[in-house]
Amino acid sequence: MQLKIMPKKKRLSAGRVPLILFLCQMISALDVPLDLVQPPTITQQSPKDYIIDPRENIVIQCEAKGKPPPSFSWTRNGTHFDIDKDPLVTMKAGSGTLIINIMSEGKAETYEGVYQCTARNERGAAISNNIVVRPSRSPLWTKEKLEPLTLRSGQSLVLPCRPPIGLPPAIIFWMDNSFQRLPQSERVSQGLNGDLYFSNVLPEDSREDYICYARFNHTQTIQQKQPISVKVILVDELNDTIAANLSDTEVYGAKSSRERPPTFLTPEGNASNKEELRGNVLSLECIAEGLPTPVIYWIKEDGTLPINRTFYRNFQKTLQIIQVSEADSGKYQCIAKNALGVIHHTISVTVKAAPYWIMAPQNLVLSPGENGSLICRANGNPKPRISWLSNGVPIEIAPDDPSRKINGDTIIFSSVQERSSAVYQCNASNEYGYLLGNAFVNVLAEPPRILTSANTLYQVIANRPALLDCAFFGSPMPIIEWFKGTKGSALREDPYVLHENGTLEIPVAQKDSTGTYTCVARNKLGMAKNEVHLEIKDPTRIVKQPEYAVVQRGSTVSFECKVKHDHTLIPTVTWLKDNGELPSDGRFTIDKDHLVVADVSDNDGGTYTCVANTTLDNVSASAVLSVVDVPNPPFDLELTDQLDKSVQLSWTPGDDNNSPITKFVIEYEDAMHEAGLWHHQTEVPGTQTTAQLKLSPYVNYSFRVMAENSLGRSLPSEASEQYLTKAAEPDKNPMTVEGLGSEPDNLVITWQPLNGFESNGPGLQYKVSWRQKDGDDEWTSVVVANVSKYIVSGTPTFVPYLIKVQALNDVGFAPEPAVVMGHSGEDLPMVAPGNVHVTVVNSTLAEVHWDPVPLKSVRGHLQGYRIYYWTDQNSSKRNRRHIEKKILTFQGSKTHGMLPGLEPFSHYTLNVRVVNGKGEGPASPDRVFHTPEGVPSAPSSLKIVNPTLDSLTLEWDPPSHPNGILTEYTLKYQPINSTHELGPLVDLKIPANKTRWTLKNLNFSTRYKFYFYAQTSAGSGSQITEEAVTTVDEGKMAMASRQVDIATQGWFIGLMCAVALLILILLIVCFIRRNKGGKYPVKEKEDAHADPEIQPMKEDDGTFGEYSDAEDHKPLKKGSRTPSDRTVKKEDSDDSLVDYGEGVNGQFNEDGSFIGQYSGKKEKEPAEGNESSEAPSPVNAMNSFV
């Protein structure tokens, strides 16, 4: 019975092809254990074509295995090679390898020949390939005299190499005397035969050391040909004498040096043939000459070129197809093309094939009485012939075996016996080579044995295939079964796959696949079993991958790579750059999960890969680092197409540093007029490297270019060469021409002169022309030097003039200039505005009207009207004040205006004047008006004095601005209890002549809040607020005093002191906390008691002018001020810290009562909530406990 396993047939997906290949390798590697009898097997031998180094000993290898160990013998050139007769030849102990000692004596050539090794034991004989032994050769070039070559420029040239024939063939290359390789290009290149081809020669090809070198790699020697001298001349450089004396025979070749269509230098003609063997590299070559240099293209006439196997070498002149096969046979066409023509050459390719295996014979192990077969199948072109040998002897003359039958490429065995064991050789040969395969037939009767080590531990990553080995041997072929754990049936169904070599495959191993597996092998002679163990591990994963980064040169970049892995595996994380090691540079640091690159340079750009390795798996993740920066400066600036008013500038861009150039900025310098100063010329897109520039006459230009990308602008390029344009007449006239008089009898004409760049030539001057607009006078003109103004004297006052200024230089005049209008000098107005009258709108606003003056009397540009106004006397105060006039100016031709910010209850005087560019005209007659009463300001101060048990006395100063006649004062007050709640509001009217008032019948030890304001006939003014506290009940204090007198014990006095100290500390803490911004919590109740009589002032709308005095009379804000002397003054700044509850001092009167200062902003209503910013004193805090 043939040795085989009962296979578990299973269809596999394409994704498992690599796994199948691995299993196939395992199957082919199965051997008969060496402790069992078996025929010889050749394990190692020298190559068929064995080229040796004649300077070293010859070693011809032949190794084999078998049981019993085989003996070895050799044949040489078909006859027995008796090594015992040659003292230089020995056989290595335990093998058939020959060692021929030619280093002491003898020559390698003596041992050239065809060698074959035979390994033999009692079960058969195996033979090696025919090994052809040849020594390598590196012959010298034959001596030859090479004449110098002289050519005309443009001719074609072929420099022959013709290297000596060596073994193996030499590698050819061309160098000079300095051992520098000669440069090659589309024009100059080396052919496959080693010759150097020139499609056309140039003067720079002239040299005396064109040397062809042949390198023989086997012997590590280089041979060189004699140098060849080449001289290339230009025909138009020859003088008549040389041209007359130079015959055509002295010049290499006879083709013209003029432009010509292509012709092929190799191969010749229109068609050629090429034969190549299967598996080799097909190389096709076409080299053409012509002027200009031809370009080569390749096509396959009856098909397409194989994409992945086709390569172009030698500047497209060589077409190579690797791993060529019969399908690559056909016609290939090379095309040579230049501007003057196209030529074609067709190469017919035939692919032959030396024999190659389709099915090589495999060793066969059979048990007595079994059947089997050896198959030997090969292919080739032409078809190879199959012949069989038995133990190295042609099977036709080998001893007969009744169990054997030959059927072409197959030998069939039936009912074999032990004597049927032998080694069979299959020989497949054609004219291009041969194949020799050894396969033995070994007849054995053996019970099963398992060759895999017991208790092998397999560790596999989850969700990957698990392969559990069970290498076995037995004859007949054992049946293999697998079991999991100690109980259960054989594993036959999904998800398991049983392979022919005994391997159990779990295609997708999971955590529950962990366990112990048992392999059992059975045949009719016995049984064997083996246990293996499987562990499933979590896969290694990169949970945080490095990310693509774009950084600027000189900055720092960080890549993160966070790895998660099985806790029993220890990963190693490695960083790579472009699949190689990181640079050994201190700028690269690895810190836990990060790779940090500091001070990034251009060379740091590339792909960075994080590789996490464990003993079972590896994962990687990559990110690209792009290093960007501003571009490098352009270079190679060149000026072409130089015309009078234009030039073409071209340049070569610098490196864009990985950020595309978006535009180029071109600047110019005028070395004649503004040396060292660069001006913007133009901008062009980043894809453009030339620019047509417009030029001005009479400028000595230099240009420079800057490149710009998203990161910024490059440094400027080097300046271009200078280019001086010709002079021309000016093409523009001065700008900003004006005519204004500085005196009543002159006209000053000014203009912005042209700069040197705009002058267009030397001798820049200006022609100034003028005439009266409304007259019939002719133009008066004068030519002045390069100045910016001209003064015309003796003109009438404020008369319109027409003016023009024209530029001219030594070449000519600029175009006719535009005419502008100006005026001669102004004088003061002569007439005052009339019919001035005033309408009082309210107590702070008045409207003024007037009649306009005649325009002729203005004698200049009317700028507007100006009102002067001032207060003569205050109606409520008869003392004389300093008269301070205020000014309002109304632009243009207005005839009315509003006077805001007036003082109520005041006498005002005003007059109006007209204004022109020279100044003011006479004043109109004064007009007097009176403002009505207004509401007063708040009282200047409010103090609480002489507090008693049930009374408080208020003192105050009248308002600083009564704005009328005071009629009375209003006092409102209300108590505040210990929880800061407001009591009922009491309203009290006080005569206007009073400045002191005493309130009686008040509650003792109670805090009161007061609201106080004045009134005129116009209404109530702003209020001022204050708080105060009545004194403590003296009776209760006396009772407390008597209780203290009773306590005469020292311990009681100490206890009271301690309590007092604690209370003092508590009060200080409360004081500090409230002084830091605590809000007064009664605002909501104050808002509930708003005084309806207090209303804000409104201003009427009107037309307002512009103040021209320096004082800023801002409207007064409503609110109270609390100065340090405990008086409330209206004049304090609204922006002081007092308004925000800061800096308020609580103080005591002489009688010990507290006088508080209420420092919140002046309130619009009598009772505002908790917005008070009073700083509470310890006494206030004490009162809150009463």
Side-chain angles (χ1 to χ4, degrees):
M1 181 177 181
Q2 185 177 358
L3 177 63
K4 63 180 182 179
I5 192 169
M6 297 299 292
K8 175 77 175 178
K9 302 278 187 181
K10 191 154 185 78
R11 185 181 183 90
L12 300 179
S13 65
R16 294 170 60 196
V17 170
L19 177 61
I20 295 173
L21 294 176
F22 166 72
L23 293 171
C24 291
Q25 292 172 355
M26 294 179 61
I27 294 170
S28 65
L30 289 176
D31 291 323
V32 179
L34 283 176
D35 61 337
L36 298 178
V37 176
Q38 58 185 290
T41 301
I42 300 291
T43 58
Q44 191 171 4
Q45 58 183 315
S46 294
K48 293 179 182 179
D49 191 6
Y50 187 26
I51 300 174
I52 62 172
D53 189 337
R55 300 167 298 180
E56 298 178 355
N57 289 337
I58 303 172
V59 178
I60 308 175
Q61 289 185 328
C62 180
E63 304 287 342
K65 66 178 181 177
K67 180 76 173 183
S71 60
F72 297 89
S73 62
W74 286 87
T75 62
R76 178 184 172 192
N77 297 327
T79 62
H80 176 67
F81 182 39
D82 191 349
I83 63 175
D84 295 331
K85 292 183 179 180
D86 191 334
L88 300 180
V89 181
T90 59
M91 186 181 292
K92 188 177 178 182
S95 78
T97 298
L98 295 180
I99 300 175
I100 304 174
N101 186 5
I102 63 172
M103 294 184 67
S104 58
E105 57 179 307
K107 294 183 178 181
E109 290 79 3
T110 306
Y111 294 94
E112 283 191 65
V114 180
Y115 293 78
Q116 189 172 45
C117 170
T118 301
R120 187 184 307 274
N121 69 8
E122 62 187 36
R123 290 258 167 166
I127 62 176
S128 71
N129 292 321
N130 288 327
I131 302 171
V132 180
V133 178
R134 295 182 294 170
S136 63
R137 299 181 180 89
S138 52
L140 299 174
W141 252 286
T142 57
K143 295 290 184 180
E144 58 181 332
K145 185 178 180 181
L146 300 176
E147 297 293 334
L149 301 176
T150 303
L151 301 90
R152 296 186 181 95
S153 177
Q155 287 184 280
S156 64
L157 173 65
V158 180
L159 297 182
C161 180
R162 302 189 189 97
I165 298 174
L167 187 68
I171 298 174
I172 306 302
F173 50 92
W174 288 80
M175 294 196 297
D176 58 17
N177 275 331
S178 302
F179 297 100
Q180 299 297 316
R181 285 186 179 267
L182 297 176
Q184 299 191 22
S185 63
E186 289 184 344
R187 187 178 62 85
V188 182
S189 60
Q190 177 184 313
L192 294 176
N193 62 356
D195 294 348
L196 191 62
Y197 293 86
F198 294 77
S199 294
N200 50 78
V201 294
L202 299 174
E204 54 261 34
D205 296 327
S206 297
R207 64 189 314 140
E208 296 179 351
D209 55 351
Y210 284 95
I211 305 173
C212 181
Y213 288 84
R215 183 174 65 209
F216 298 93
N217 284 345
H218 211 81
T219 57
Q220 296 297 307
T221 58
I222 296 177
Q223 309 289 358
Q224 78 173 63
K225 186 183 178 76
Q226 291 291 322
I228 303 174
S229 175
V230 175
K231 183 178 181 181
V232 181
I233 58 175
L234 293 169
V235 176
D236 54 5
E237 292 179 354
L238 299 176
N239 57 40
D240 294 337
T241 303
I242 296 176
N245 294 332
L246 193 63
S247 65
D248 286 343
T249 58
E250 293 175 294
V251 178
Y252 177 87
K255 292 189 177 180
S256 169
S257 61
R258 297 178 179 175
E259 291 189 351
R260 58 191 181 278
T263 57
F264 284 112
L265 296 174
T266 184
E268 298 179 350
N270 297 326
S272 59
N273 298 312
K274 175 74 174 180
E275 188 176 282
E276 191 57 79
L277 289 181
R278 181 180 184 271
N280 289 352
V281 177
L282 173 65
S283 295
L284 305 179
E285 181 181 57
C286 280
I287 301 178
E289 65 90 15
L291 189 66
T293 302
V295 179
I296 304 296
Y297 304 93
W298 292 90
I299 61 172
K300 187 177 182 183
E301 292 185 1
D302 50 355
T304 57
L305 295 171
I307 297 175
N308 297 327
R309 296 186 294 116
T310 302
F311 300 93
Y312 298 96
R313 313 290 186 197
N314 197 19
F315 307 98
Q316 297 276 109
K317 299 174 188 179
T318 301
L319 170 69
Q320 285 188 344
I321 301 176
I322 62 173
Q323 292 294 320
V324 69
S325 67
E326 291 88 337
D328 295 318
S329 298
K331 292 185 177 182
Y332 293 79
Q333 192 175 95
C334 66
I335 304 166
K337 180 180 180 181
N338 70 5
L340 279 72
V342 180
I343 58 172
H344 304 77
H345 182 92
T346 302
I347 305 174
S348 298
V349 174
T350 303
V351 178
K352 299 292 186 179
Y356 55 92
W357 290 119
I358 295 176
M359 182 181 292
Q362 300 292 324
N363 293 336
L364 191 60
V365 178
L366 300 174
S367 63
E370 279 193 312
N371 303 326
S373 61
L374 289 178
I375 300 174
C376 175
R377 289 180 185 161
N379 201 358
N381 186 12
K383 185 76 174 176
R385 182 176 62 85
I386 303 295
S387 61
W388 287 97
L389 296 86
S390 177
N391 296 325
V393 178
I395 202 164
E396 293 80 8
I397 61 175
D400 190 37
D401 183 354
S403 66
R404 178 182 70 208
K405 180 182 179 181
I406 300 173
N407 184 10
D409 59 6
T410 305
I411 302 178
I412 301 172
F413 298 92
S414 57
S415 300
V416 296
Q417 301 301 320
E418 185 175 340
R419 65 178 180 274
S420 300
S421 296
V423 182
Y424 290 87
Q425 289 83 33
C426 171
N427 185 301
S429 61
N430 65 12
E431 60 188 276
Y432 298 105
Y434 72 95
L435 293 173
L436 179 67
N438 288 277
F440 64 67
V441 175
N442 195 15
V443 181
L444 292 173
E446 284 291 325
R449 63 171 72 181
I450 295 178
L451 308 178
T452 300
S453 300
N455 294 313
T456 300
L457 175 63
Y458 293 91
Q459 294 180 325
V460 177
I461 296 296
N463 299 317
R464 294 190 181 180
L467 299 174
L468 308 183
D469 293 337
C470 184
F472 64 91
F473 184 80
S475 183
M477 173 75 130
I479 296 175
I480 303 298
E481 291 182 308
W482 281 90
F483 300 87
K484 182 179 180 184
T486 57
K487 298 181 180 180
S489 57
L491 304 176
R492 292 190 179 91
E493 303 301 328
D494 288 340
Y496 303 101
V497 179
L498 184 60
H499 293 279
E500 291 185 358
N501 64 348
T503 297
L504 176 67
E505 178 191 354
I506 306 174
V508 182
Q510 302 291 339
K511 283 287 188 179
D512 58 4
S513 302
T514 300
T516 300
Y517 292 79
T518 304
C519 168
V520 178
R522 293 187 180 91
N523 69 8
K524 64 183 180 181
L525 300 178
M527 180 201 60
K529 67 179 181 178
N530 184 42
E531 287 187 351
V532 297
H533 308 283
L534 176 63
E535 291 182 356
I536 307 301
K537 306 291 185 180
D538 291 328
T540 305
R541 295 184 295 117
I542 297 179
V543 295
K544 178 64 175 177
Q545 298 187 356
E547 297 180 350
Y548 173 76
V550 178
V551 299
Q552 191 166 359
R553 184 191 300 150
S555 59
T556 298
V557 65
S558 176
F559 293 106
E560 183 177 5
C561 180
K562 189 170 290 186
V563 178
K564 186 176 182 181
H565 58 91
D566 191 280
H567 69 280
T568 63
L569 302 176
I570 301 176
T572 58
V573 178
T574 306
W575 286 91
L576 305 175
K577 180 182 182 294
D578 298 329
N579 295 323
E581 293 183 359
L582 289 177
S584 55
D585 190 332
R587 298 180 301 108
F588 291 79
T589 56
I590 298 175
D591 180 18
K592 292 184 179 179
D593 302 328
H594 292 80
L595 167 66
V596 179
V597 186
D599 191 17
V600 173
S601 66
D602 292 338
N603 294 332
D604 296 332
T607 301
Y608 288 83
T609 304
C610 163
V611 182
N613 286 292
T614 67
T615 54
L616 299 182
D617 65 345
N618 68 81
V619 290
S620 64
S622 298
V624 175
L625 171 62
S626 293
V627 181
V628 297
D629 206 347
V630 298
N632 291 348
F635 55 94
D636 288 346
L637 273 64
E638 183 180 4
L639 297 177
T640 57
D641 300 339
Q642 298 177 354
L643 303 176
D644 289 347
K645 293 192 175 183
S646 69
V647 69
Q648 179 168 289
L649 174 66
S650 60
W651 61 89
T652 301
D655 193 339
D656 65 3
N657 292 322
N658 297 320
S659 180
I661 296 174
T662 55
K663 65 179 178 181
F664 292 100
V665 179
I666 303 171
E667 295 181 338
Y668 71 89
E669 176 198 30
D670 180 4
M672 181 184 301
H673 303 104
E674 295 177 316
L677 186 61
W678 291 89
H679 302 274
H680 181 271
Q681 172 80 22
T682 188
E683 296 177 359
V684 298
T687 56
Q688 203 169 312
T689 57
T690 60
Q692 195 74 23
L693 306 179
K694 294 182 178 180
L695 306 180
S696 294
Y698 199 57
V699 176
N700 194 9
Y701 281 101
S702 291
F703 299 97
R704 68 181 187 185
V705 183
M706 290 169 287
E708 190 172 302
N709 62 13
S710 59
L711 281 84
R713 185 174 292 184
S714 73
L715 294 173
S717 67
E718 295 291 331
S720 70
E721 60 181 303
Q722 292 186 344
Y723 178 49
L724 178 62
T725 54
K726 294 181 180 179
E729 65 274 3
D731 51 17
K732 63 184 297 186
N733 285 300
M735 305 291 290
T736 322
V737 177
E738 293 181 345
L740 296 172
S742 61
E743 298 294 338
D745 60 349
N746 73 6
L747 171 66
V748 180
I749 302 173
T750 59
W751 60 90
Q752 181 181 334
L754 303 181
N755 57 37
F757 179 82
E758 298 168 332
S759 65
N760 288 1
L764 178 63
Q765 294 178 302
Y766 300 99
K767 179 182 178 183
V768 183
S769 302
W770 68 92
R771 70 178 178 85
Q772 287 191 27
K773 177 186 176 186
D774 299 327
D776 297 330
D777 298 343
E778 294 295 328
W779 288 93
T780 302
S781 300
V782 63
V783 175
V784 298
N786 188 12
V787 293
S788 61
K789 72 176 181 178
Y790 180 76
I791 300 176
V792 180
S793 301
T795 63
T797 300
F798 197 64
V799 174
Y801 277 85
L802 298 179
I803 305 165
K804 57 184 179 180
V805 180
Q806 184 178 25
L808 67 149
N809 60 18
D810 292 349
V811 179
F813 285 86
E816 183 67 22
V819 177
V820 299
M821 188 174 74
H823 286 82
S824 57
E826 299 182 62
D827 206 347
L828 294 176
M830 297 184 296
V831 178
N835 194 23
V836 176
H837 59 277
V838 181
T839 302
V840 176
V841 178
N842 57 37
S843 62
T844 61
L845 181 67
E847 184 175 9
V848 183
H849 290 260
W850 61 88
D851 291 339
V853 300
L855 286 179
K856 287 186 178 181
S857 69
V858 175
R859 297 201 295 179
H861 295 285
L862 175 63
Q863 294 187 354
Y865 291 88
R866 190 168 292 162
I867 300 177
Y868 286 77
Y869 63 101
W870 61 96
T871 57
D872 296 325
Q873 258 183 337
N874 189 282
S875 300
S876 62
K877 295 181 181 179
R878 296 301 175 185
N879 57 313
R880 187 76 179 172
R881 291 186 177 183
H882 171 69
I883 298 176
E884 181 181 355
K885 294 184 178 181
K886 295 183 180 179
I887 303 172
L888 273 179
T889 300
F890 297 88
Q891 303 290 341
S893 57
K894 286 190 174 183
T895 59
H896 69 281
M898 307 295 287
L899 298 182
L902 302 177
E903 294 184 13
F905 203 57
S906 299
H907 291 282
Y908 277 92
T909 304
L910 65 78
N911 57 52
V912 184
R913 312 177 191 199
V914 67
V915 182
N916 68 7
K918 189 72 173 177
E920 298 176 351
S924 67
D926 289 349
R927 293 289 183 267
V928 177
F929 65 96
H930 174 74
T931 56
E933 286 188 76
V935 295
S937 62
S940 299
S941 66
L942 174 63
K943 295 187 292 184
I944 316 295
V945 297
N946 300 327
T948 66
L949 188 66
D950 61 352
S951 68
L952 291 172
T953 300
L954 283 72
E955 293 183 354
W956 63 88
D957 290 327
S960 58
H961 296 279
N963 295 333
I965 298 174
L966 296 181
T967 58
E968 63 182 358
Y969 291 101
T970 299
L971 173 64
K972 297 181 181 182
Y973 62 95
Q974 56 191 147
I976 304 172
N977 64 16
S978 59
T979 59
H980 304 290
E981 294 180 347
L982 296 172
L985 186 68
V986 179
D987 193 334
L988 182 65
K989 301 297 183 181
I990 300 174
N993 59 349
K994 299 290 185 180
T995 59
R996 179 184 178 93
W997 196 264
T998 299
L999 296 176
K1000 298 181 180 181
N1001 299 322
L1002 301 178
N1003 296 329
F1004 67 87
S1005 190
T1006 301
R1007 176 183 296 274
Y1008 286 89
K1009 185 169 184 179
F1010 301 94
Y1011 314 91
F1012 190 65
Y1013 54 90
Q1015 288 178 287
T1016 65
S1017 61
S1020 301
S1022 301
Q1023 70 180 10
I1024 186 171
T1025 63
E1026 187 56 271
E1027 290 185 14
V1029 182
T1030 56
T1031 59
V1032 180
D1033 188 339
E1034 295 179 356
K1036 290 186 178 181
M1037 291 293 291
M1039 182 182 297
S1041 176
R1042 285 195 298 274
Q1043 291 173 353
V1044 172
D1045 291 339
I1046 296 171
T1048 59
Q1049 301 298 323
W1051 64 267
F1052 186 79
I1053 296 173
L1055 177 62
M1056 290 298 101
C1057 291
V1059 171
L1061 179 61
L1062 290 175
I1063 293 175
L1064 178 62
I1065 293 174
L1066 178 62
L1067 295 178
I1068 292 173
V1069 171
C1070 293
F1071 173 75
I1072 293 174
R1073 291 189 61 184
R1074 297 192 62 177
N1075 203 31
K1076 283 187 176 180
K1079 298 297 184 178
Y1080 193 62
V1082 297
K1083 174 172 175 51
E1084 293 181 2
K1085 294 187 178 297
E1086 290 175 346
D1087 290 340
H1089 297 83
D1091 188 350
E1093 298 180 13
I1094 302 177
Q1095 300 294 332
M1097 289 194 305
K1098 295 183 179 180
E1099 294 181 352
D1100 296 332
D1101 295 334
T1103 303
F1104 297 93
E1106 299 174 355
Y1107 281 107
S1108 58
D1109 64 340
E1111 289 192 9
D1112 182 12
H1113 294 277
K1114 296 181 180 179
L1116 296 175
K1117 293 185 179 179
K1118 300 175 183 178
S1120 65
R1121 279 77 171 165
T1122 307
S1124 59
D1125 62 355
R1126 295 172 292 129
T1127 60
V1128 183
K1129 295 185 179 180
K1130 180 65 179 175
E1131 288 75 8
D1132 289 348
S1133 170
D1134 283 340
D1135 295 327
S1136 69
L1137 290 175
V1138 175
D1139 290 339
Y1140 298 93
E1142 302 278 348
V1144 178
N1145 298 320
Q1147 300 183 14
F1148 291 93
N1149 261 337
E1150 293 178 356
D1151 60 355
S1153 63
F1154 175 75
I1155 302 176
Q1157 301 297 319
Y1158 187 76
S1159 60
K1161 291 189 178 182
K1162 288 188 178 178
E1163 296 164 33
K1164 180 177 176 180
E1165 302 293 341
E1168 291 192 4
N1170 57 359
E1171 293 300 321
S1172 169
S1173 56
E1174 174 195 4
S1177 72
V1179 174
N1180 289 337
M1182 178 73 76
N1183 290 337
S1184 67
F1185 287 98
V1186 176

